[in-house]
Amino acid sequence: MANRFANIVAAASAGGAILVFAGAAAGRQAAPKTVLDGVYTVAQAERGAVVYDAQCAACHDGADVNGPPLTGAPFVDRWREDTLDGLFEFIKTRMPQAKPASLSDAEYVDILAHLLQENSFPAGPRQLAMDTLASTLLVGPGGPQPLPAGALVQVVGCLARNPDREWVITRASPLVRARIGDVVTAAEATASAGTAPGALTFTLQNVGEGGTALSAEGHKVLVKGALNQRAGAGRIHVTAATSVAQTCG
């Protein structure tokens, strides 16, 4: 194909299960603040606790839960290195399970403040607000860290082959979370075309023989997929990809 990869649909374990952890637009700059900076107030978290108890606790708390854990390392690893608007949109569009999107934006933001408090992130003097979600990065207690294995990511770089004839993406931008794993939207492709070259290289799995035939070698590409490591080398099990420019310059 001349200008685009076909979408590559990976195994469900690589795409579907991780899809809910999704991430950020290509070329997004680093968030100027993190959840370690006190981005909600105690009063807001207390309001959120009231709504959470009424709308969420039945599925997420207790011995017989029907939802994933919302505290501790599993929760933080699921969402860290992405801005809070991703978690907000996930909660709003899917919760409560029986009536998603049934609460006000303010109530969903208060629930988010409650979750930050429950995960021991510090409170501050200002309330968390809709217009600060996209500029606030969720990180772990130690601050920003590399993304964990299994995270759904996206990266922009140059499509090439290594000496072993494996497909690789070189001159790649820093990894960011992807929020939709099985398709590249036109808006994402357009935004990615202007992404500056980076210094990273990743081997691409699930492409070529047995995957999708490629004819965009040398193109600047946007790749999405599940991050994994093998012998210390970064690999991406590709779930979707597209050419965004015919040259990598």
Side-chain angles (χ1 to χ4, degrees):
M1 59 197 80
N3 294 323
R4 295 182 64 87
F5 290 127
N7 289 332
I8 307 162
V9 180
S13 60
I18 303 171
L19 187 57
V20 295
F21 315 153
R28 185 189 65 197
Q29 299 299 311
K33 61 183 176 181
T34 79
V35 291
L36 300 175
D37 296 324
V39 298
Y40 69 93
T41 66
V42 170
Q44 183 179 29
E46 290 174 348
R47 290 199 309 269
V50 173
V51 182
Y52 176 90
D53 288 344
Q55 303 289 345
C56 313
C59 288
H60 292 280
D61 292 351
D64 187 22
V65 297
N66 190 32
L70 299 181
T71 58
F75 173 77
V76 174
D77 273 350
R78 182 177 177 179
W79 293 102
R80 66 177 176 82
E81 320 313 325
D82 192 13
T83 47
L84 289 177
D85 53 329
L87 178 54
F88 171 86
E89 286 298 327
F90 178 80
I91 295 172
K92 178 179 177 178
T93 57
R94 293 169 175 81
M95 305 297 165
Q97 189 175 48
K99 45 182 179 178
S102 59
L103 307 178
S104 68
D105 284 351
E107 288 174 310
Y108 283 114
V109 173
D110 287 351
I111 291 173
L112 186 49
H114 167 65
L115 294 180
L116 293 178
Q117 184 181 64
E118 288 295 291
N119 282 278
S120 300
F121 293 111
R126 294 178 179 272
Q127 289 194 145
L128 188 63
M130 287 291 297
D131 62 359
T132 61
L133 297 179
S135 61
T136 305
L137 191 67
L138 178 56
V139 298
Q145 299 290 331
L147 285 164
L152 188 66
V153 299
Q154 64 186 50
V155 64
V156 179
C158 184
L159 182 68
R161 285 186 183 271
N162 65 16
D164 295 327
R165 302 301 295 164
E166 296 175 302
W167 286 106
V168 296
I169 185 169
T170 65
R171 300 171 61 191
S173 61
L175 292 171
V176 295
R177 292 271 188 177
R179 292 177 183 165
I180 300 174
D182 60 353
V183 66
V184 175
T185 68
E188 289 173 327
T190 299
S192 298
T195 300
L200 303 174
T201 297
F202 298 94
T203 301
L204 304 179
Q205 302 172 297
N206 195 47
V207 293
E209 293 183 12
T212 296
L214 304 177
S215 58
E217 187 170 357
H219 285 208
K220 187 176 187 178
V221 296
L222 168 61
V223 170
K224 295 183 178 184
L227 178 65
N228 61 68
Q229 298 284 335
R230 180 181 297 176
R235 291 175 174 262
I236 298 174
H237 184 93
V238 179
T239 57
T242 191
S243 170
V244 298
Q246 293 187 24
T247 64
C248 292

